């Protein structure tokens, strides 16, 4: 007669009390009749031994992962190899990917996204670093207030931000053009012309996320040992030298994190242009995710939309790996 | 008070103004009559139409119902995601088990895969289950947050093992250790995580836009966006809806900002 390993933990006390009877009829031991036996705790311990507890603890996460991450990722790949409308999908090999490579609208969307990426991310992260350096300066008055203020935009939802700026950027009566008029600048058609609509999207994104990155940088700055700066000052290093030789290298892990996160976020851009411009004018702010959304949920072309999703995933991972390589390994 | 960095202070105050200014304007515009939203120069003082605009929102999108939907979705998602994250984070931080690293890496790897990849299969799954247009369809996919699990693991790792073992020696079961020691000791990080998840759940847009079809099921952001698409958009009302979406999270943040920022920093700086 062998006890399951999971029974060992709770078993000893009861077994001693029940004596030979327990050995003959093992099941009785857990029937709850033993007087000294704390039957419930022993039962629970049987379920949750040192060996099984971690599996029980991660069970919900693993289940959710399997259903809402792993399965959709695999299913999406399968879908990208099929064609059809909604329910009647049939295998089509690489047709969707071929179509994608020849689709001018895909390239327009990709170009728009890339354009916003290369302008917006460096602008935002540069500003965030400047703000963080300012906030880290011990002699600035009212520091907590400024820190709070610059963080507030990142709390606002994308839609709230979108509707707010769709009015602020209005050509005839928007707040921004009014402010510009105070400086004698003619009204700008922020959302109505291809060029300015892109600039508008960049402005809104920068407003929205700069403070968040600044607070991340501030955390990094505060983690840099003061002794490094003191030693550099003794050696006669000026502020620029200290920034380049101490601050930037020490911040590298956080810089890398923000670059990668901002890149991923921008490549998946959807909400702001959806609310601000609807992708217009003339597809100037159409992004890859918007195009994916149109194909999937307006035309119900799941196969093509999935191919777009995979193309995007490929671009995101390649860029992510590239950034980690470039920034992470250099010493 | 004398400052020795006056120029820097002025610059930071300027950044503050750029960040907070649009909100001030938003709050003022939300109290105007629709025609005055676009008046030139802009109205920068409170108008008298707040109640009218609220009534208008109630008539057009069913404001109370939509707000309730948002509270239910974001609230349940927060509770669920925090429970899942704490349980898994505890296991990853404090137990050795076969497959631990594999599970953890798999979970984290989904961080780099765009959510858009998952949209269509999850939509089909919810269709098959008949859950489209239900709270579950929005809440369930948000329950597993790799970031939350990562954050909890980082936080729980720094807990001394002696503390846990002392409780175990005293005969406490694992659930009791978790409930009586792990959770109370880590309350600040858990609060920060809850805020993160709530913020994400409250503001999420793309998935609810797809999953919630009927007007009475929509959350505030989705209803706000549909409102704006109408040809006869009342901008004062749209802006009020935007302000209503932003104000609760800001209030929550102001109350809990210390924990929020420390949680943000914990995620950003550890390892």
């Amino acid at each position: 007669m062998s006890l399951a390993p999971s029974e060992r933990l709770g078993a000893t006390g009861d077994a001693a009390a029940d004596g030979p009877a327990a050995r003959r009829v093992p099941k009785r031991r857990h029937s709850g009749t033993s007087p000294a036996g704390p039957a419930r705790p022993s039962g629970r311990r049987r379920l949750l031994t040192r060996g099984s507890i971690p599996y029980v603890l991660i069970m919900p996460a693993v289940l959710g992962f399997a259903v809402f991450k792993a399965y959709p990722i695999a299913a999406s790949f399968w879908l990208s190899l099929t064609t059809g409308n909604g329910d009647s999908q049939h295998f089509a090999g690489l047709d969707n990917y071929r179509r994608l490579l020849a689709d001018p609208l895909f390239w327009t969307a990709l170009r728009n996204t890339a354009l916003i990426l290369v302008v917006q991310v460096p602008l935002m992260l540069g500003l965030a670093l400047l703000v963080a350096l300012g906030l880290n300066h011990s002699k600035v008055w009212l520091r907590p207030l400024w820190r709070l203020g610059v963080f507030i935009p990142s709390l606002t939802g994308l839609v709230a931000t979108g509707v707010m700026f769709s009015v602020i950027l209005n050509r005839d009566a928007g707040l921004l053009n009014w402010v510009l008029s105070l400086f004698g600048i003619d009204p700008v058609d922020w959302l109505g012309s291809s060029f300015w609509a892109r600039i508008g999207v960049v402005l809104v994104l920068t407003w929205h996320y700069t403070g968040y990155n600044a607070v991340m940088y501030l955390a990094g700055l505060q983690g840099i040992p003061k002794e490094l700066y003191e030693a550099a000052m003794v050696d006669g290093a000026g502020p620029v030298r200290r920034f380049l030789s101490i601050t930037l290298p020490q911040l590298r892990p956080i810089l890398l994190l923000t670059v990668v996160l901002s890149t991923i976020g921008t490549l998946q851009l959807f909400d702001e242009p959806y609310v601000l411009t609807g992708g217009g004018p003339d597809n100037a702010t159409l992004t890859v995710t918007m195009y994916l959304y149109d194909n999937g949920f307006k035309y119900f072309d799941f196969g093509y939309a999935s191919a777009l999703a995979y193309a995007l995933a490929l671009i995101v991972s390649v860029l992510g790996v590239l950034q980690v390589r470039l920034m992470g390994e250099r010493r | 008070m004398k400052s020795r960095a006056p120029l820097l202070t002025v610059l930071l105050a300027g950044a503050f103004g750029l960040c907070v200014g649009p909100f001030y304007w938003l709050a003022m515009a939300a109290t105007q009559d629709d025609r005055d939203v676009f008046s030139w120069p802009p109205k920068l003082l409170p108008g008298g139409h707040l109640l009218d605009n609220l009534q208008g929102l109630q008539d057009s999108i069913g404001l109370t119902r939509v707000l309730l939907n948002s509270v239910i979705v974001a609230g349940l998602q927060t509770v669920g995601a925090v429970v899942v994250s704490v349980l898994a984070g505890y296991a990853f931080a404090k137990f050795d088990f076969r497959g631990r690293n594999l599970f953890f890496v798999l979970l984290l790897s989904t961080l780099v895969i765009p959510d858009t990849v998952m949209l269509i299969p999850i939509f089909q799954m919810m269709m098959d289950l008949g859950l489209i247009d239900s709270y579950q369809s929005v809440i369930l996919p948000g329950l597993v947050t790799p970031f939350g699990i990562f954050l909890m693991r980082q936080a729980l790792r720094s807990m001394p093992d002696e503390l846990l073992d002392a409780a175990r020696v005293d005969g406490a079961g694992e659930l009791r250790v978790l409930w009586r020691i792990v959770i109370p000791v880590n309350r600040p990080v858990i609060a920060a995580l809850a805020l993160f998840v709530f913020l994400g759940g409250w503001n999420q847009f793309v998935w609810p836009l797809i999953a919630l079809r009927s007007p009475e099921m929509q959350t505030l952001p989705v209803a706000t966006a549909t409102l704006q698409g109408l040809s006869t958009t009342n901008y004062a009302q749209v802006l009020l809806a935007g302000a209503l979406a932003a104000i609760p999270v800001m209030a929550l943040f102001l109350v809990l900002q210390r924990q929020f920022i420390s949680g943000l920093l914990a995620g950003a700086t550890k390892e």
Side-chain angles (χ1 to χ4, degrees), chain B:
Chain B
M1 190 168 171
K2 205 178 155 195
S3 155
R4 276 188 280 168
L7 182 64
L8 211 49
T9 303
V10 169
L11 286 174
L12 284 170
F16 175 90
L18 287 175
C19 290
V20 177
F23 270 119
Y24 176 78
W25 171 82
L26 174 71
M28 294 306 115
T31 65
Q32 310 290 341
D33 183 78
D34 187 41
R35 285 162 306 170
D36 292 337
V37 169
F38 290 99
S39 66
W40 183 283
K43 304 238 180 220
L44 294 176
L45 292 172
H49 290 80
L50 180 60
L51 292 178
D52 295 344
N53 292 338
L54 279 172
Q55 185 61 50
L57 279 179
Q58 180 63 25
D59 295 340
S60 54
I61 57 170
L63 182 64
T64 46
R65 172 71 197 243
V66 161
L67 268 174
L68 186 71
N69 290 341
S70 272
V71 169
I72 290 172
V73 166
L76 290 180
Q77 198 164 324
T78 304
V79 173
V82 167
V83 169
V84 171
S85 301
V86 169
L87 292 179
Y90 182 46
F92 285 124
K94 287 298 175 194
F95 291 86
D96 250 328
F97 54 97
R98 192 191 287 267
R100 179 175 76 166
N101 291 337
L102 179 70
F103 282 136
F104 192 65
V105 169
L106 275 178
L107 272 174
L108 279 193
S109 67
T110 55
L111 274 176
V112 297
I113 296 185
D115 285 342
T116 40
V117 172
M118 298 159 214
L119 277 183
I120 288 168
I122 294 183
F123 175 75
Q124 285 187 321
M125 193 191 309
M126 292 298 173
M127 277 292 251
D128 292 342
L129 294 172
L131 288 178
I132 286 297
D133 225 12
S134 72
Y135 293 135
Q136 295 96 300
S137 67
V138 179
I139 294 167
L140 286 173
L143 293 186
V144 180
T145 51
F147 170 76
I149 294 169
F150 177 73
L151 185 72
M152 287 321 300
R153 170 181 171 266
Q154 296 302 92
L156 299 186
R157 258 160 46 136
S158 57
M159 275 186 81
D161 283 325
E162 294 79 32
L163 195 61
L164 306 175
D165 286 335
R168 289 183 188 130
V169 167
D170 288 347
E174 280 305 325
L175 287 178
R176 206 177 168 77
V177 172
L178 191 63
W179 186 249
R180 286 292 171 82
I181 296 177
V182 174
I183 290 174
V185 167
N186 291 285
R187 194 169 289 151
V189 191
I190 295 174
L193 173 63
L195 258 172
F196 271 118
V197 182
F198 184 81
L199 189 60
W202 181 264
N203 286 329
Q204 63 180 331
F205 178 60
V206 187
W207 175 239
L209 178 71
I210 294 165
L212 302 174
R213 292 294 163 102
S214 55
E216 67 272 14
M217 288 304 293
Q218 282 173 352
T219 56
L220 188 55
V222 177
T224 307
T226 56
L227 198 60
Q228 202 199 12
L230 302 176
S231 52
T232 55
T233 305
N234 180 316
Y235 273 95
Q237 289 177 19
V238 177
L239 293 171
L240 178 60
L244 287 175
I247 285 167
V249 286
M250 279 187 199
L252 207 60
F253 172 77
L254 286 177
V255 174
L256 296 168
Q257 64 155 311
R258 189 171 300 255
Q259 274 143 6
F260 192 87
I261 292 201
S262 73
L264 179 77
L265 304 191
T269 54
K270 276 189 191 171
E271 274 194 351

Side-chain angles (χ1 to χ4, degrees), chain A residues 114-282:
Chain A
L115 214 64
I116 293 172
L117 180 75
V118 296
V119 176
Q120 198 267 329
V121 172
L123 172 73
M124 170 181 71
L125 296 184
L127 281 175
L129 188 55
L130 287 178
V131 171
L133 288 169
L135 286 173
N136 196 40
H137 199 287
S138 57
K139 304 212 169 65
V140 168
W141 194 39
L142 288 177
R143 262 197 309 177
L145 182 65
W146 312 139
R147 190 184 60 199
L148 185 65
V150 298
F151 193 71
I152 273 183
S154 48
L155 296 169
T156 334
L158 299 152
V159 172
T161 306
V163 295
M164 178 160 88
F165 276 95
S166 66
V167 178
I168 288 180
L169 296 179
N170 183 280
R171 190 178 73 96
D172 299 318
L175 183 67
L176 185 55
N177 277 348
W178 175 72
V179 172
L180 292 178
S181 76
L182 298 180
F183 298 93
I185 297 170
D186 286 337
V188 174
D189 192 3
W190 291 105
L191 301 175
S193 78
S194 297
F195 176 76
W196 289 110
R198 291 193 183 117
I199 303 279
V201 170
V202 166
L203 277 181
V204 173
L205 289 171
T206 305
W207 178 85
H208 200 166
Y209 296 108
T210 299
Y212 181 83
N213 290 294
V215 171
M216 299 247 268
Y217 291 157
L218 183 60
L221 288 174
Q222 293 183 342
I224 300 176
K226 298 272 179 294
E227 297 80 45
L228 289 179
Y229 290 107
E230 283 158 13
M233 299 229 299
V234 171
D235 290 346
V240 174
R241 178 78 210 193
R242 291 198 300 269
F243 177 75
L244 292 176
S245 307
I246 301 174
T247 312
L248 274 187
Q250 291 280 322
L251 274 185
R252 182 180 291 146
I254 294 196
L255 286 170
L256 177 64
L257 183 76
T258 56
V259 168
V260 172
L261 287 182
S262 309
T263 304
I264 294 175
T266 309
L267 285 172
Q268 298 190 56
L269 190 62
F270 177 85
D271 308 38
E272 288 95 339
Y274 180 89
V275 176
L276 276 176
T277 60
D282 200 17

